Amino acid sequence: MISKATIDTVYETARVEEVIGDFVQLKRAGSNYKGLSPFSDERSPSFMVSPAKGIWKDFSSGKGGNAIAFIMEHEHFSYPEAIRYLAKKYNIEIEETEQSQEEKEQAGEKESMYLVSEFAAKFFQNTMMNTDEGKSVGLSYFKERGFTNDTIKKFGLGYSPEAWDAFTKEGLGQGYKLDYLDKVGLTILRDDGKHFDRFKGRVMFPIQSMSGRVLGFGGRILTNDKKAAKYLNSPESEIYHKSKVLYGIYHAKQSIAKLDNCFLCEGYTDVIQMQQAGIENVVSSSGTALTPDQIRLINRLTKNITVLFDGDAAGLRASIRGIDLILEEGMNVKVCTFPEGDDPDSFARKTPLDELLLYFENNAMDFIQFKASLLMKDAKNDPIKKAELIRDMVNSISKIPDRIKREIYIQECSRIMDISEEVLFNTLAQLVKKDISDAGKKQKNPEASGQKAFEVHKNENIAVNAKVDVLYELELKIIEILLLYGNVEEDFEDFVFKANEEGELLEIKEVNKCKVFQRIYLSLQEDEVELGTPIFKDIYNDLISYFNENENFEIEQYLMRLSPELAQEVTTILMDDEKVTLHNWEAQQIYVKQKGETISQYVSETILTLRWFLVNKIIEEIKSNLSKEIESDNSENLSMAMDYSKLVNNFSNKLGRVMSRYS
């Protein structure tokens, strides 16, 4: 168990913008921050972070909460794991107790797979650093590659013994189930019940998530066995999807966001050697073809990618196909190649940092220049090949979503290839038209695009000309006021009638000091008003109880006590307050001013407007009944209508005084 004092320290120390900034590139938007959603594929940022309130809201997926909720949602952590992660980030001492056998068995399947992977990483590193075989085989290999002890420790490099089941035997001995060793791909379980280690006799590269969790492994064989693959990766599992992971992203994320650029290379050792040389903003696709999910991972941190290619010409042509995928995501691409025979690993190893940075600065080319220089060598004086090359380049340009960028690249292509812009624009128009046509066909044939027939997708960015639900909006305002100012003590003005010595009734102004939540509660109790929207009613009742039970109100602490449904609604209310300003209230007879006024005025206006609206609603119902009862005796209803009308006038007068009090 983690002590309450430690949890409180984590809550007090963790800053939501810093925590999320490790995973998403955030940009200032007034007093808040904005960024691309890490939970959905989007190009216009709808992810908002409010440092003042300590919360975040993803308007594309509807998710939201505090810093702990983000870590739990993004990394699929349990609550204790999220606390431990943040404690580690902020160097807060926390008591880590060894898991008992019972605790290991109680852990969920996914969590058990994470635990097995973490155990494996420690086992492989311990084997390499503390056994004779590990030192002579694994450690000596990494030392020959030029890796220091600090680098080896930083990346968790290790060694899997040559024995058939050394790892599996140790795992079972430590209480880890064979089923989970098999599911993460560390142990291969045969049909006859026998088992052996997948990575035996290999040096090991742990593959980490953005938060540093071990998802899988890459293992390199050190013998010349031609039947065995040089590199072997963990198989796909519930926690490891190689198309969605970038090697080195955990160590590179902060540098990528800070420098606003990401170097992308191919192999594990490329990343490690570059990092050791001082280039920290570098990741690898782990030797696999680049995927859209991997690109989006980078896109959350920066819009700029510099692709690092080996000097091998054949490899270059195969690799440039990934550039189109980067362009489709609306990102800026540069390409840098190394001298013949060099790759990022070898070049970084022999080049001082200042020379390395200068080399990138002088040799990184825009993708259009790179593609032209590379493919023109093949085309030479062959007009057919040159035409194919030009079409290939225009096809890449057509992938760019931004029309201005497309036009600039067309102009650049025209200059490089010595061909008229008109021809290139016509070709581009044909390609774009074809893309639109293909997209249209997918819409007409939903099954081809994976969409079910008659499936409706909500788009929150589309304004719908619908009638405002006034009661809903007013109740929403009540909840918002309680969340923002519930515990604030204010002076509230009331007007009461008192008789003077002559017996005349005079309207006297009284000033009463009380907390906002008490004012709202007593006002609604006085009129016997209950909120009509079920979720608002639940939040209202819980908030009133919380304010009565607790002297202080911290939104982060409060969110943790709520059910997921209520927590999501509370976060939405708070962040909607930041995102938009409700417009044209007066047209709906809702005279609620902005919160720039005094809090007491804002509260009084909202309560009076709610009461005014409810009374008006009653009057409308009475009028409706009167019209249906023309021939019957309706004097009682007429009397009620007149009484309520007087009440409305009274509210109107009070509201007018409140609204003009500070004008």
Side-chain angles (χ1 to χ4, degrees):
M1 290 285 290
I2 303 172
S3 69
K4 185 178 184 301
T6 303
I7 293 173
D8 289 343
T9 303
V10 169
Y11 270 103
E12 290 166 6
T13 308
R15 295 182 60 82
V16 67
E17 71 274 21
E18 291 176 351
V19 174
I20 296 175
D22 286 345
F23 303 88
V24 181
Q25 185 185 37
L26 298 174
K27 293 184 178 179
R28 271 281 182 190
S31 61
N32 300 319
Y33 291 89
K34 264 190 168 185
L36 292 173
S37 167
F39 304 111
S40 63
D41 178 20
E42 65 177 12
R43 287 178 182 152
S44 297
S46 67
F47 184 89
M48 291 186 67
V49 178
S50 171
K53 295 173 182 172
I55 59 173
W56 57 276
K57 176 68 180 179
D58 178 19
F59 289 95
S60 67
S61 67
K63 297 173 181 178
N66 55 17
I68 283 101
F70 179 85
I71 294 299
M72 291 173 68
E73 187 71 45
H74 191 274
E75 294 301 310
H76 307 291
F77 281 176
S78 64
Y79 179 71
E81 287 175 320
I83 295 293
R84 288 191 175 95
Y85 169 83
L86 291 173
K88 183 179 179 182
K89 174 179 172 63
Y90 287 99
N91 296 316
I92 298 169
E93 286 190 23
I94 187 169
E95 184 180 355
E96 292 280 2
T97 56
E98 186 69 26
Q99 279 198 317
S100 67
Q101 182 63 32
E102 184 180 354
E103 287 174 327
K104 289 175 184 175
E105 290 175 356
Q106 287 177 347
E109 179 172 313
K110 198 169 186 178
E111 185 54 36
S112 295
M113 293 169 75
Y114 280 122
L115 291 173
V116 167
S117 296
E118 296 287 348
F119 160 73
K122 292 175 183 175
F123 171 81
F124 294 138
Q125 185 160 72
N126 182 63
T127 298
M128 185 174 74
M129 302 303 289
N130 299 308
T131 68
D132 292 338
E133 181 187 348
K135 291 176 184 176
S136 62
V137 182
L139 187 59
S140 63
Y141 168 78
F142 287 126
K143 291 291 186 180
E144 287 171 10
R145 300 298 299 242
F147 299 153
T148 65
N149 284 337
D150 286 343
T151 297
I152 290 169
K153 185 178 179 181
K154 177 180 178 179
F155 285 90
L157 306 179
Y159 175 73
S160 179
E162 183 65 36
W164 279 102
D165 63 350
F167 164 75
T168 304
K169 190 180 291 183
E170 181 67 18
L172 294 174
Q174 292 292 326
Y176 294 98
K177 292 183 178 180
L178 182 61
D179 184 37
Y180 293 126
L181 299 177
D182 173 52
K183 283 181 177 178
V184 296
L186 288 161
T187 299
I188 296 177
L189 187 60
R190 297 198 325 193
D191 293 338
D192 60 7
K194 293 182 179 180
H195 49 73
F196 57 90
D197 297 347
R198 179 181 297 273
F199 294 104
K200 77 178 191 71
R202 292 175 181 265
V203 287
M204 302 298 292
F205 300 83
I207 300 168
Q208 296 172 285
S209 70
M210 240 184 184
S211 67
R213 298 202 95 175
V214 178
L215 306 175
F217 295 87
R220 188 192 192 283
I221 199 166
L222 300 179
T223 63
N224 294 321
D225 186 354
K226 294 182 179 178
K227 293 181 181 179
K230 183 178 178 181
Y231 276 97
L232 185 65
N233 275 6
S234 293
E236 293 280 310
S237 71
E238 191 175 350
I239 64 172
Y240 176 61
H241 305 280
K242 64 182 179 181
S243 66
K244 297 182 179 181
V245 178
L246 287 164
Y247 182 73
I249 190 71
Y250 171 62
H251 299 291
K253 60 188 178 184
Q254 290 182 331
S255 182
I256 291 171
K258 181 180 178 181
L259 299 174
D260 199 18
N261 184 49
C262 177
F263 289 109
L264 178 65
C265 50
E266 293 183 48
Y268 302 123
T269 58
D270 293 331
V271 170
I272 298 170
Q273 199 68 256
M274 290 267 288
Q275 283 253 356
Q276 184 169 280
I279 307 291
E280 296 184 336
N281 54 324
V282 57
V283 296
S284 161
S285 59
S286 305
T288 61
L290 194 62
T291 68
D293 284 325
Q294 290 172 331
I295 296 166
R296 290 180 196 125
L297 204 58
I298 299 171
N299 197 13
R300 282 156 44 185
L301 300 169
T302 180
K303 284 284 185 185
N304 305 302
I305 293 183
T306 302
V307 183
L308 305 180
F309 286 139
D310 300 349
D312 174 45
L316 285 176
R317 292 183 184 85
S319 300
I320 60 173
R321 287 192 287 271
I323 291 178
D324 286 355
L325 292 176
I326 300 173
L327 294 172
E328 284 180 359
E329 293 300 319
M331 301 180 73
N332 307 315
V333 190
K334 285 191 175 181
V335 180
C336 185
T337 59
F338 295 94
E340 188 72 33
D342 267 325
D343 56 24
D345 179 354
S346 62
F347 194 77
R349 184 174 179 181
K350 65 186 180 183
T351 309
L353 177 59
D354 55 346
E355 292 182 27
L356 195 56
L357 291 169
L358 188 62
Y359 182 85
F360 290 142
E361 186 179 338
N362 294 335
N363 292 275
M365 290 188 251
D366 190 84
F367 88 94
I368 201 79
Q369 295 172 324
F370 170 75
K371 206 164 187 178
S373 64
L374 177 68
L375 300 180
M376 276 298 285
K377 294 174 185 176
D378 287 342
K380 293 182 182 178
N381 297 321
D382 187 331
I384 302 298
K385 285 188 176 181
K386 185 176 179 181
E388 290 174 356
L389 164 62
I390 294 170
R391 178 170 286 276
D392 190 292
M393 292 171 69
V394 175
N395 184 60
S396 291
I397 295 170
S398 73
K399 306 295 182 186
I400 302 171
D402 190 292
R403 293 181 63 183
I404 295 175
K405 284 184 182 178
R406 285 207 304 255
E407 184 161 342
I408 291 171
Y409 278 122
I410 286 291
Q411 292 170 352
E412 184 68 9
C413 185
S414 171
R415 184 186 63 79
I416 293 171
M417 306 306 297
D418 192 24
I419 188 171
S420 73
E421 289 183 22
E422 184 181 359
V423 171
L424 295 179
F425 275 119
N426 288 338
T427 306
L428 176 64
Q430 291 173 6
L431 291 170
V432 172
K433 185 177 179 181
K434 183 178 182 298
D435 288 342
I436 293 172
S437 175
D438 291 343
K441 288 176 183 176
K442 284 184 179 180
Q443 287 184 342
K444 288 179 181 178
N445 183 10
E447 293 181 3
S449 61
Q451 180 180 330
K452 296 177 182 178
F454 305 110
E455 187 176 7
V456 178
H457 293 275
K458 182 181 178 183
N459 186 343
E460 294 185 1
N461 295 322
I462 298 175
V464 180
N465 185 19
K467 186 177 179 180
V468 174
D469 185 338
V470 179
L471 183 59
Y472 177 92
E473 297 293 350
L474 285 167
E475 291 181 348
L476 174 64
K477 280 291 161 190
I478 294 290
I479 301 298
E480 183 189 272
I481 289 169
L482 286 170
L483 290 168
L484 293 174
Y485 313 115
N487 223 27
V488 176
E489 195 168 63
E490 283 283 302
D491 289 330
F492 290 94
E493 295 179 0
D494 289 307
F495 292 87
V496 296
F497 288 97
K498 289 187 177 180
N500 61 12
E501 294 179 356
E502 287 75 27
E504 296 176 318
L505 286 176
L506 301 176
E507 192 175 39
I508 307 296
K509 181 176 74 173
E510 289 184 346
V511 178
N512 299 302
K513 184 181 286 291
C514 69
K515 290 190 174 181
V516 168
F517 84 88
Q518 294 169 335
R519 178 72 174 192
I520 291 176
Y521 176 75
L522 292 173
S523 296
L524 297 188
Q525 282 286 98
E526 180 186 341
D527 293 331
E528 298 182 355
V529 172
E530 281 194 350
L531 302 192
T533 308
I535 195 165
F536 291 163
K537 184 178 179 180
D538 290 343
I539 295 171
Y540 173 81
N541 291 334
D542 190 80
L543 276 168
I544 297 300
S545 297
Y546 189 87
F547 283 125
N548 281 315
E549 295 166 6
N550 298 275
E551 187 174 340
N552 298 316
F553 181 78
E554 295 290 338
I555 188 63
E556 290 190 30
Q557 296 277 7
Y558 178 67
L559 283 172
M560 295 312 297
R561 99 186 217 136
L562 297 177
S563 67
E565 182 188 11
L566 295 186
Q568 290 283 0
E569 187 66 28
V570 166
T571 305
T572 299
I573 291 168
L574 289 171
M575 294 306 289
D576 273 339
D577 171 60
E578 302 285 349
K579 185 184 178 189
V580 296
T581 301
L582 290 173
H583 59 283
N584 203 19
W585 280 96
E586 287 77 6
Q588 301 291 335
Q589 288 191 321
I590 306 175
Y591 299 101
V592 181
K593 289 189 178 180
Q594 298 302 309
K595 295 183 287 296
E597 311 286 346
T598 65
I599 295 172
S600 61
Q601 180 189 9
Y602 181 54
V603 173
S604 298
E605 287 177 17
T606 306
I607 294 172
L608 281 170
T609 307
L610 176 61
R611 295 163 78 181
W612 186 6
F613 174 80
L614 291 173
V615 171
N616 259 326
K617 194 174 179 183
I618 293 171
I619 292 172
E620 290 300 319
E621 289 175 359
I622 293 172
K623 286 180 180 178
S624 176
N625 291 334
L626 284 172
S627 65
K628 295 175 184 176
E629 302 169 1
I630 295 174
E631 296 180 359
S632 63
D633 181 12
N634 50 30
S635 57
E636 185 178 344
N637 282 337
L638 279 170
S639 176
M640 285 176 61
M642 291 174 67
D643 289 341
Y644 278 118
S645 294
K646 289 177 183 177
L647 194 55
V648 167
N649 289 332
N650 185 28
F651 288 153
S652 179
N653 292 332
K654 285 184 178 180
L655 194 56
R657 283 197 293 267
V658 170
M659 293 174 68
S660 63
R661 190 176 303 150
Y662 299 94
S663 60

